Structure formats: C-alpha cells, structure tokens
Amino acid sequence: MHPTPKLFYQEFHHYVAKDGTYDGIIKFINQTMIFNDQGNIEKSSNTNMKVQAIINELRATLDLDVEIAGEFEDLYIFMNERLVEANLTKDNAILDEVLELATEFRDTWK
C-alpha cells in the first residue's frame, strides 16, 4: 500500500528534520548573522548562499503533482527571496524571518 501524498510529505519532512537539513539551515543563518555583525561581507555572502543551496535542494525534491508540495514550494521560494534580499542588504532582521521559519519546520517535523 502506498502512503497518501500528505503522509509521504510528512514522512519526508520528518526525515529531513532528523537528518539535520534544517539544522544546517539554522547553523548557516546564524553564521551569516555573525559575519554581518563583523562586517565580513565575503563570509556573510558565502554562508547565505549555502542556505539558499540547501533550500533549493529541498525544492528540487518536491513532486508538484501533489497539492501539499505546492505549499512547501511557496514557502521555500519565499525563504530564498528573503535570503537574496538579506544578502544584498546584510539585514539580520530579514535573516531572523527565515531562521524562524526553518526552526518551525525543524521543530514541527521532529
């Protein structure tokens, strides 16, 4: 018996939370914020782009034929758009928004 699409995505995000993917996002956002505070633009940009890459990989795994996947895609797009803006402006308040979402995802799916 195949799991329902909703169950599949619940299991997938539970796995992602357990394997540390969201922890990686959180770690790199925190590092980016520290580098912003230090004025280290190069390291800030590099760690921000690591977060973007992780989120893009999560997006690439979505099966958009499943309704709930579209909701995840919208959130991942939003997170990446905010990360790009934060990278351009070095604004930690924007990073806090993404950090909050990543933390909620991680804590929800554990």
Side-chain angles (χ1 to χ4, degrees):
M1 182 170 157
H2 297 288
T4 65
K6 184 175 181 178
L7 180 59
F8 170 80
Y9 280 100
Q10 287 174 340
E11 289 174 0
F12 169 76
H13 278 85
H14 176 75
Y15 170 78
V16 167
K18 283 214 169 277
D19 91 337
T21 302
Y22 290 120
D23 287 331
I25 291 171
I26 292 164
K27 171 186 156 187
F28 289 128
I29 290 174
N30 283 321
Q31 287 179 355
T32 302
M33 294 170 79
I34 290 168
F35 293 136
N36 283 347
D37 290 341
Q38 294 172 348
N40 191 330
I41 294 169
E42 182 179 355
K43 285 186 178 180
S44 168
S45 181
N46 289 340
T47 54
N48 182 305
M49 289 189 296
K50 287 179 183 179
V51 179
Q52 291 177 49
I54 294 169
I55 292 171
N56 283 331
E57 284 300 314
L58 287 171
R59 242 183 105 199
T61 66
L62 297 173
D63 177 357
L64 296 177
D65 291 332
V66 178
E67 183 178 338
I68 195 169
E71 295 173 28
F72 283 110
E73 182 180 43
D74 291 343
L75 286 168
Y76 293 149
I77 289 170
F78 173 77
M79 291 169 78
N80 257 346
E81 288 173 350
R82 297 304 284 160
L83 287 165
V84 169
E85 185 174 346
N87 206 13
L88 294 171
T89 63
K90 304 304 179 209
D91 186 342
N92 282 352
I94 297 171
L95 291 171
D96 271 329
E97 292 175 25
V98 180
L99 180 63
E100 186 176 321
L101 286 170
T103 302
E104 284 182 39
F105 274 151
R106 182 200 61 199
D107 294 348
T108 298
W109 299 107
K110 273 192 171 179

